[in-house]
Amino acid sequence: ISAGAKLTYLANGSSSSLTLAYTAVTSTYVVQQTDFVVDCTTGTFTVTLPTAAGIVGKQFCVKNSGTGVVTVDAFGSETIDGALTFILSTQGESIWVVSDGVNWKVI
């Protein structure tokens, strides 16, 4: 697990950088509250989102940078745009989700 993804933005006319959590995984993983980008670098496995309850506005990105199939699973009976899972079957494919406090919405 490593941190270091950076996003550059402008604030008051000057350039600054924001460091966001980057986690590379190669097997089944449960997304942590401290994660932001979860990069699935190899293999076929499941990434489980945390509960959407109580974290309105919390966002995560899950990316399949490997050649396997990554299943993104909502917590328990929660959904991702109405479905229990979302499949990332193509290398380079990703999903960004945001919590509405009850379920996950694809953004």
Side-chain angles (χ1 to χ4, degrees):
I1 300 174
S2 64
K6 292 194 178 204
L7 173 67
T8 300
Y9 66 98
L10 295 177
N12 297 325
S14 65
S15 178
S16 299
S17 65
L18 171 66
T19 300
L20 303 171
Y22 168 88
T23 305
V25 298
T26 58
S27 62
T28 300
Y29 185 72
V30 177
V31 177
Q32 304 299 302
Q33 291 288 337
T34 55
D35 288 329
F36 186 71
V37 174
V38 176
D39 187 7
C40 305
T41 60
T42 186
T44 295
F45 55 90
T46 299
V47 172
T48 303
L49 297 170
T51 181
I55 57 170
V56 174
K58 182 73 172 175
Q59 297 180 29
F60 295 106
C61 174
V62 179
K63 180 171 180 71
N64 180 0
S65 22
T67 56
V69 175
V70 176
T71 301
V72 181
D73 188 14
F75 180 84
S77 62
E78 294 176 356
T79 62
I80 304 166
D81 272 0
L84 294 174
T85 62
F86 189 95
I87 306 297
L88 301 173
S89 58
T90 306
Q91 186 175 23
E93 192 174 13
S94 62
I95 181 174
W96 286 83
V97 294
V98 63
S99 168
D100 67 3
V102 178
N103 291 294
W104 294 99
K105 304 288 185 185
V106 177
I107 54 174

